[in-house]
Amino acid sequence: MGAELDIRYLASFMLALGAALVMIPLLIRYSARIGLVDDATGDARKIHTGQMPRSGGLGIVVASALAVLLVLPATTGLLSFLAAALVVIAFGLLDDVVAMKPLQKVAGQSLGVLIAMGGGMVISDVPLLGHAPEWFSYPMTFIFVLAVINGVNFSDGMDGLAAGTTLMSLMLLFVLAVEAGHVEVAAVSLSVSAAVLGFLRFNTHPATIFMGDAGSQFLGFVVAWLAIALSQSDVTPMTTFMPLLILGIPVIDILQVVPVRVYKKLPLPGPDKEHFHHQIAKLGLFPYETVSVVYALQAILLAAAYLMRFLDDIHVLVFFVAFTAIVLGGGLVAHVYGWRVRSVAEVTSRRRRNRLFRAISVLHPYTGKFFGVAVHLILTASALFSSSLAATVAIIGFVVGLLSLVVYQMDVDRLRAFVPRITSYLACAILVYGLTSSPVIAGFNFALDLGFLALAFFLAVAIRITRRSYFWITPQDLLVLLFIGMLAPQLPINPGQGVEIGDLVFRTVVLLYASEYLLARGHQAQDYLLYASSSALLVLGVQFL
């Protein structure tokens, strides 16, 4: 893989992540105006209360599309994929607005799947059987993709659940695609995963936005398309059962819910509270614990997918059947014997903070100022040491910093959160890269990482010492930690100039979390973050003018 492609991968990831982080807050604000809200009033199946924006899927789609179109050329296969995805998204949006009947919903999904199949998305090498005739492979592909779309849609029943498990699948698909040299699958999976990661910041418990059917159906279709494209490719001898492991959680959910609906004579596409995640929650777990358990099960399946990627189909099938039997059978035994982690009253009660956190909660009023100063110092120091950045990047940063200050002085209410957010995100991405690639800093990487680790520790403490809902340590943060600690150093991406991808990702993520904390602390903290980010970008630009 060439350095140019490495940089394009990195650029697509940052573009999709940044676009999602900027768009989602806007969608939260304006969802009601376009009719994309989920009203839980009078619906006992809903976990949330009141109205909730359900337009997050739009943010994921737009952010992904921007990055994909930046990286990939317009091939026939890609165009058919985009056309099929647009159909799936359109019917999903329609369902979000007017609540279509189940058969109408499936008809829209079917049209999208047929378009993708016409573009080459076909399982021609059938597991256990080898190459199959079209009369068999086409119907099987159709049923499989349709099942995955609805499986992901079914699993979208708790904050961060469907998005988190899909993100894990996408990241494994990216690693496998890079390993196999499949550029198209790698670029699409990385771009969509970045958009999902941005969405998850607002979707983990307690969520402020849902992805809606448009988002869940899009993600189900994308993962199915990518898994088929990779496992059916001639460039790698991977097991054809790879999609079964990567998409194991949606499949298990279908295996869980379909027999129950048949037994209770309920319509198969209809909603209920019999899904896999509902059964786990009934064991007396808090919502975030339920999501974490599903994440853990997904991690086991994905680890198996990676380790067994070159094994015979029969070995993979035996593992999946055994895993499914243990998981569903264990849950059934637990329910039959009434085993519970805690009672219903304990689950619904408000949890108390640790005594130590309650004792130091007096420091909470000062945490905003502390992180404001810390972020300001880091950004300014990064600007001063970013001597190895391209002049074009520095000048772009200078222009953005100047424009941000000018626009912010207009004092338009709708821009008060938007401008600081986009400016701080851009400043963090550019300046952390500049700092990490600086030859002067190269000898102090260990000390620098210790400083960022300390900042992350203080941020975690600041979040826990107050009951105010700025943002919480959530299951998504477990995914971020997994990405930083285990996956990022293994990514076959070379950001150039001797930069370690693990250092770059870790430092950027910590600074973005600190910025998010400041953005949540009110207008005064937002103002300070805007001026800190803009001034750092101006300092950077002045050095290259």
Side-chain angles (χ1 to χ4, degrees):
M1 184 186 301
E4 180 182 351
L5 189 57
D6 293 337
I7 294 300
R8 291 175 67 186
Y9 278 154
L10 188 60
S12 68
F13 182 87
M14 296 306 297
L15 175 61
L17 177 62
L21 288 171
V22 168
M23 287 186 62
I24 299 300
L26 296 176
L27 290 169
I28 292 174
R29 175 173 293 189
Y30 296 111
S31 286
R33 296 189 183 183
I34 55 179
L36 287 174
V37 293
D38 188 350
D39 193 349
T41 305
D43 192 340
R45 294 178 297 103
K46 302 292 186 180
I47 296 177
H48 68 285
T49 57
Q51 290 189 341
M52 181 72 74
R54 59 187 309 177
S55 55
L58 283 176
I60 295 173
V61 169
V62 174
S64 303
L66 287 174
V68 168
L69 294 174
L70 170 70
V71 173
L72 293 177
T75 63
T76 302
L78 181 64
L79 291 177
S80 67
F81 161 72
L82 292 175
L86 282 175
V87 172
V88 172
I89 294 162
F91 276 88
L93 280 174
L94 189 60
D95 187 40
D96 287 332
V97 176
V98 300
M100 293 190 301
K101 295 180 179 179
L103 289 180
Q104 295 173 327
K105 186 175 177 178
V106 172
Q109 297 169 356
S110 301
L111 178 59
V113 174
L114 290 173
I115 293 174
M117 290 171 60
M121 184 192 70
V122 181
I123 303 175
S124 55
D125 291 327
V126 179
L128 303 178
L129 300 178
H131 192 74
E134 292 183 353
W135 63 265
F136 183 81
S137 60
Y138 274 81
M140 188 182 70
T141 303
F142 179 82
I143 294 172
F144 172 76
V145 178
L146 207 62
V148 171
I149 291 174
N150 285 282
V152 175
N153 184 239
F154 287 168
S155 67
D156 188 26
M158 283 189 170
D159 297 346
L161 183 59
T165 53
T166 303
L167 174 63
M168 297 169 73
S169 297
L170 288 167
M171 292 309 301
L172 177 62
L173 284 165
F174 171 71
V175 171
L176 294 174
V178 172
E179 184 180 90
H182 203 308
V183 175
E184 192 170 67
V185 171
V188 173
S189 57
L190 185 64
S191 300
V192 178
S193 66
V196 173
L197 184 61
F199 166 74
L200 267 171
R201 179 66 267 166
F202 306 93
N203 182 243
T204 45
H205 183 75
T208 54
I209 189 171
F210 296 156
M211 70 171 74
D213 282 353
S216 60
Q217 292 179 34
F218 168 72
L219 291 182
F221 172 75
V222 168
V223 177
W225 182 82
L226 291 171
I228 291 173
L230 187 61
S231 63
Q232 298 292 309
S233 173
D234 294 331
V235 300
T236 175
M238 289 183 190
T239 171
T240 52
F241 263 129
M242 179 66 68
L244 186 63
L245 296 181
I246 293 176
L247 299 161
I249 293 300
V251 172
I252 290 175
D253 192 32
I254 292 174
L255 294 175
Q256 157 72 41
V257 76
V258 169
V260 174
R261 289 184 179 180
V262 171
Y263 176 75
K264 293 185 177 181
K265 297 181 180 181
L266 298 173
L268 293 182
D272 59 29
K273 298 195 74 171
E274 302 293 343
H275 290 290
F276 179 55
H277 55 273
H278 290 137
Q279 303 308 314
I280 295 176
K282 289 176 183 178
L283 297 176
L285 299 177
F286 292 116
Y288 78 92
E289 291 175 332
T290 301
V291 174
S292 297
V293 168
V294 178
Y295 283 178
L297 296 174
Q298 174 78 334
I300 293 172
L301 285 171
L302 295 181
Y306 185 79
L307 295 174
M308 304 176 71
R309 63 193 184 282
F310 299 130
L311 294 185
D312 294 336
D313 290 345
I314 187 64
H315 292 93
V316 179
L317 179 61
V318 168
F319 169 81
F320 181 76
V321 171
F323 179 84
T324 303
I326 292 172
V327 170
L328 294 183
L332 179 61
V333 169
H335 287 302
V336 168
Y337 286 94
W339 297 340
R340 295 183 62 86
V341 176
R342 57 180 67 88
S343 66
V344 176
E346 291 177 303
V347 173
T348 55
S349 65
R350 192 179 189 186
R351 289 178 298 143
R352 294 177 60 83
R353 287 173 295 166
N354 178 278
R355 181 179 299 177
L356 174 62
F357 289 136
R358 293 201 306 271
I360 62 176
S361 62
V362 293
L363 299 176
H364 175 258
Y366 307 101
T367 56
K369 295 178 181 179
F370 170 80
F371 287 107
V373 172
V375 170
H376 195 169
L377 291 175
I378 293 173
L379 291 178
T380 303
S382 300
L384 294 173
F385 284 108
S386 298
S387 57
S388 58
L389 275 177
T392 304
V393 175
I395 292 173
I396 291 175
F398 180 86
V399 172
V400 170
L402 187 61
L403 287 176
S404 298
L405 290 174
V406 172
V407 172
Y408 205 59
Q409 296 307 314
M410 297 178 182
D411 200 26
V412 180
D413 183 63
R414 68 183 64 179
L415 296 177
R416 293 200 65 85
F418 176 77
V419 175
R421 174 168 274 110
I422 192 171
T423 307
S424 62
Y425 289 165
L426 183 65
C428 290
I430 291 178
L431 295 173
V432 170
Y433 179 80
L435 179 69
T436 305
S437 62
S438 171
V440 178
I441 295 297
F444 301 93
N445 273 328
F446 180 72
L448 195 60
D449 281 336
L450 284 180
F452 275 93
L453 188 62
L455 184 64
F457 171 78
F458 289 131
L459 183 60
V461 172
I463 295 170
R464 290 291 290 121
I465 64 177
T466 178
R467 287 195 182 276
R468 298 186 183 182
S469 301
Y470 296 130
F471 57 89
W472 303 45
I473 298 296
T474 66
Q476 184 226 353
D477 300 300
L478 301 179
L479 298 181
V480 172
L481 293 174
L482 177 68
F483 176 76
I484 295 173
M486 299 181 60
L487 188 56
Q490 306 302 320
L491 292 179
I493 294 180
N494 178 18
Q497 305 192 45
V499 177
E500 292 291 336
I501 185 67
D503 288 341
L504 180 61
V505 171
F506 169 67
R507 295 167 188 173
T508 304
V509 167
V510 170
L511 208 56
L512 285 173
Y513 267 86
S515 298
E516 273 291 313
Y517 184 79
L518 290 172
L519 288 168
R521 289 299 301 264
H523 291 325
Q524 186 175 359
Q526 291 171 8
D527 292 347
Y528 190 87
L529 181 62
L530 181 279
Y531 295 132
S533 303
S534 298
S535 63
L537 290 173
L538 293 177
V539 169
L540 175 68
V542 166
Q543 299 179 72
F544 289 86
L545 292 178

